[in-house]
Structures are given as structure tokens and as C-alpha cells.
Amino acid sequence: MADDLVIARGPFPDLDGFDQARDADATASSTDLSSRFVVDDPDLLYLDGNSLGRLPLAAVDRVAEVVRHEWGGRLIRSWNEGWWDAPTRIGDLLAPVVGARPGEVIISESTSTNLFKLAVGALRARPGRHAIVTDDLNFPTDNHVLAGVADLVGEGTRVVTVASPDGVHGSMDALLAAIDGDTALVSLSHACFKSGWLWDVGAVTAAAHEAGALVLWDCSHSAGAVPVDLAAHDVDLAVGCTYKYLNGGPGAPAFAYVRTDLQDDVANPITGWWGHADPFSFDLDFTPAVGIRRSHVGTMPMLSLLGAEPGIAMVAEVGIEAIRARSVALTTMLVDLVDVHLAPLGFTLASPRDPARRGGHVSVAHPEAWGVTRALLAEAGVVPDFRAPDVVRLGLSPLTTTFVDVHTAVGRIVEVVRTGRHLVHRDDAAAVT
């Protein structure tokens, strides 16, 4: 094969499904907000919105305003002109997206920090119980944090990790068997990071409550793509990032949710001044704030916090039900295309086939997944991501990914493998995958 071989970029009208993709775009145009985002390269197919969402045009203007006018002109006066209340104000904007009530969501710190705070608070709210139940589909950092929490709390606290039967689907039966009278906390990812498997939030939460345990959901891979319905399911605690389907920007502050009636019972173990009832009294004795603000610790990074607001606002504007309908249609089309065009090339579906149990991304496994991923990035104008050992993950951000994008991306994957370009890139190195 020639080193200067050019991968066909499409669209691929001869590839089955093109007419359906084009017609779906025409039908679903009201939920296509791609024109409201920065698209630097129109030929680039960005299928990694489940890892980092595109940049909203409104965020460009908002950050410029914060830098030039609020920081540059108003200086410290800006704290009393919108900065101080931004974490709760934006939290209330996000609340309907995750099915929470006003005053139950705050933008604060990172997902891992919020997970730590809420997990410690939950364990202390259930004295005499020693088990944290999670699973091996959880985002590994969450498991690392939970293990650290168990070690910190001590007194026999342990993490019980439920095994998936196949690395794709969770086992409700195994999870229920692990929850018992010694369980203090059940902590899971709503949408699993590798396969996209969706736990049944209502069923798991009810089972935890029946055993007297609290439940803590990580909604990082579902917020903005899948309804979570925290209040409807009586969820106790939740966390999630804002930079995936919420398009908040790299490293933007995360969110924490605490059900209203638990806000005075789940104590924040990191007692910082932003969680103080009267932070500007500078009292040496700590008095926790009332309500969701007590989940705070320290000063928020205002540039990234306020830069996240436009993306969250767009998701709230469209509504999570409409977004979910578009997401299901996009991922279902992709699964169908995988069956027809990628399976003959050695790919297997590594996500749930049932859309009710599938989040916003579709994973496919291939023995040369690393080379496929690198070839798509280097030569085919497709941005997916790779998850070890053999998964190419395709994130379909509902507001910015079109149906023709999905069809064209599959065509480019076919071209990469058909021409053998993935073998050229099998030894590529990259720090971030």
C-alpha cells in the first residue's frame, strides 16, 4: 500500500443508509444546534463530544466579556455583580436537565472532589455500616476515590465491587445481591464510560433505600444526553462534569446534587470558607452554610465557571427529552450501520443494543482498535477516542452531531480498514487516548 494513499472522505451515497441519514437530518433539524458552535474545520467529524463537547459560540463571547469587562473593568466589584452567586444560579439552570429541584444543584470543584465529599458525608450519615457497593463498569477514578474514602474512614469500611458479566452490561441481580444491611452507600455511574450501559436509576435507588443505604450517582456521561430524573427517583446524591454533553469547556467545574432533606445531614468533610454560613465574618470557628451552598469548599475559578454557562443554557433550552429522542435516533442509526458495514470488517458492538439501556455513545471493539483510532485521527478526519484494550468509542453529541455525520464517519472507518491504513498506525504513541 502506498504511504501517500488518501482516505476517501465521503459522503458515501453508495453506502447503505445514506438516504435515511439525509432524511433524518431534514426531519430533526429543530434539535440540530451545530450552527451555534465553533466549527473550525467543516470536514472534521467530531465524535468525541462525550469526552469534550464543542465550543459554543456564546461561550466565546461570554468569556471575552468576563475577561475584558468584569475582570478588566469591574475588577473585584464583580464578586457582588454576579460572580458570588454564579455557582447556585448556574446550578439552578442545570437542575431541570438532571431532574432536580431549585436549590439542589451547585457548580463546585471537580467531579472527583465532589464524589469524595459526598461519599464521606454519606458514610458518616450511616454510622455502623461498613460497605460501599459499586461495580467494575464504573469510571475507574470513582473506584479509586471510593477506595480512598474507605481507607480514610476506616473502622472496617470496605468497597464491594460487583462484576459485569461481559464488560458491557451491568448485572442487576448481582448488584441487588451485594446490597445488604451493612451497605452504607451504593455509588455507580449512571452511564458507564466504556460501553454506555445505563443503570436503572429508579430501581437501584429503591433497592438501596430498602436496605437503608444512601445512593450516589455519577452522571458525567449522561447529563445533557439522557434524562436522569433525580427528584422523581428520590435520589440522595449525585455528581457530574459539565464539559461533555453540557459543552462547558475543558476542566470546567463539576456539579453536585444533594436532595433537599439531606442537605443538613450529609456533612461536607472539607470545611472551606465558601461553605461557611458567613464567610466574610472570618470567624475561626466553622459554621456550615444552610442548603446546597454548604457543599462548597474554596473559591471558584470564574473564567471556566462562567464559560460553562452558555453550554448548559443551550441544553436547558432544547430540553432533555427532545435531546434524548435525538440521541437515541443517532445511536440507533450507528448501531445499524455497525451491523451492516463494520461487522464484516471484524468489529463487534461493545455497547448495549437496547436503546433504553444505552447512553449517548456507541463503542465498537476491534483487535486493532488502537491503530483504527489513530488512523481515523491522522488521515480520515474523524475524531473518536480509544479505551483499552480494544474499544473505539464514538460519542454522538446530540446538539452538534448530524445523521449524515454518522453515516459519513462509518464510511471513513470502512475506508481506513479496507485500505489497511490502521496497520500503519498500530504503533503510534499518544499520552491522551
Side-chain angles (χ1 to χ4, degrees):
M1 66 192 76
D3 288 339
D4 60 354
L5 179 68
V6 177
I7 299 297
R9 295 292 180 98
F12 299 88
D14 295 333
L15 207 67
D16 289 347
F18 178 74
D19 290 341
Q20 293 93 319
R22 184 183 54 196
D23 293 345
D25 277 330
T27 302
S29 60
S30 64
T31 51
D32 176 8
L33 269 60
S34 55
S35 64
R36 293 168 61 178
F37 289 80
V38 173
V39 179
D40 185 63
D41 179 1
D43 184 54
L44 184 73
L45 301 177
Y46 187 66
L47 302 185
D48 209 3
N50 60 315
S51 193
L52 174 65
R54 281 192 181 272
L55 169 62
L57 290 167
V60 177
D61 296 335
R62 183 69 184 103
V63 171
E65 179 185 25
V66 174
V67 171
R68 294 172 183 167
H69 173 67
E70 297 176 16
W71 179 15
R74 299 304 294 163
L75 294 165
I76 201 167
R77 292 170 291 184
S78 291
W79 285 112
N80 284 321
E81 295 170 357
W83 286 4
W84 181 258
D85 294 325
T88 51
R89 175 174 53 79
I90 302 173
D92 282 345
L93 180 64
L94 176 60
V97 174
V98 294
R101 293 169 287 243
E104 292 186 327
V105 178
I106 195 166
I107 310 298
S108 179
E109 279 90 42
S110 69
T111 305
S112 297
T113 302
N114 287 334
L115 184 77
F116 172 84
K117 292 184 296 185
L118 296 185
V120 172
L123 290 176
R124 290 175 174 171
R126 290 293 183 270
R129 291 173 174 246
H130 307 92
I132 304 170
V133 174
T134 187
D135 75 328
D136 62 358
L137 297 179
N138 203 358
F139 191 64
T141 290
D142 289 24
N143 286 20
H144 303 332
V145 169
L146 295 173
V149 167
D151 183 63
L152 175 70
V153 172
E155 298 181 356
T157 303
R158 67 193 188 282
V159 177
V160 177
T161 304
V162 176
S164 162
D166 57 6
V168 174
H169 304 82
S171 171
M172 190 67 179
D173 289 341
L175 183 72
L176 294 178
I179 300 172
D180 59 24
D182 198 39
T183 303
L185 179 66
V186 177
S187 184
L188 300 164
S189 289
H190 177 210
C192 299
F193 82 104
K194 186 180 288 189
S195 71
W197 160 261
L198 289 175
W199 280 106
D200 185 329
V201 171
V204 172
T205 300
H209 288 174
E210 185 176 356
L214 295 173
V215 65
L216 168 54
W217 289 100
D218 184 342
C219 303
S220 293
H221 283 87
S222 55
V226 181
V228 186
D229 297 327
L230 296 173
H233 295 309
D234 204 28
V235 168
D236 305 305
L237 311 163
V239 299
C241 71
T242 61
Y243 50 77
K244 300 182 191 299
Y245 296 111
L246 296 171
N247 305 294
F255 68 88
Y257 156 90
V258 182
R259 200 177 67 226
T260 301
D261 62 296
L262 288 175
Q263 289 174 0
D264 292 335
D265 297 329
V266 178
N268 186 350
I270 311 177
T271 47
W273 80 297
W274 269 48
H276 196 288
D278 186 9
F280 290 94
S281 69
F282 301 109
D283 189 346
L284 291 181
D285 294 324
F286 184 82
T287 303
V290 174
I292 193 65
R293 186 176 276 277
R294 75 188 301 162
S295 297
H296 260 325
V297 178
T299 308
M300 289 294 97
M302 278 297 138
L303 291 180
S304 54
L305 172 62
L306 295 172
E309 186 172 9
I312 294 171
M314 274 194 283
V315 172
E317 172 193 335
V318 176
I320 193 61
E321 296 297 336
I323 289 173
R324 174 59 173 165
R326 182 182 176 91
S327 176
V328 167
L330 284 164
T331 60
T332 298
M333 172 174 282
L334 178 52
V335 169
D336 291 343
L337 291 169
V338 168
D339 289 342
V340 174
H341 300 293
L342 298 187
L345 297 175
F347 290 88
T348 57
L349 183 66
S351 289
R353 190 168 291 277
D354 178 3
R357 298 268 64 86
R358 185 177 65 235
H361 65 271
V362 173
S363 294
V364 291
H366 190 277
E368 295 286 347
W370 175 247
V372 171
T373 302
R374 298 307 300 171
L376 289 171
L377 287 162
E379 301 190 39
V382 179
V383 182
D385 62 16
F386 169 81
R387 291 295 175 259
D390 62 356
V391 165
V392 181
R393 201 173 60 158
L394 305 170
L396 312 182
S397 189
L399 298 184
T400 60
T401 304
T402 69
F403 292 88
V404 169
D405 286 344
V406 173
H407 186 273
T408 305
V410 171
R412 294 185 188 181
I413 296 171
V414 169
E415 285 290 295
V416 160
V417 177
R418 182 184 63 81
T419 58
R421 299 306 293 175
H422 61 303
L423 301 177
V424 176
H425 294 274
R426 62 183 0 170
D427 295 323
D428 285 4
V432 178
T433 64

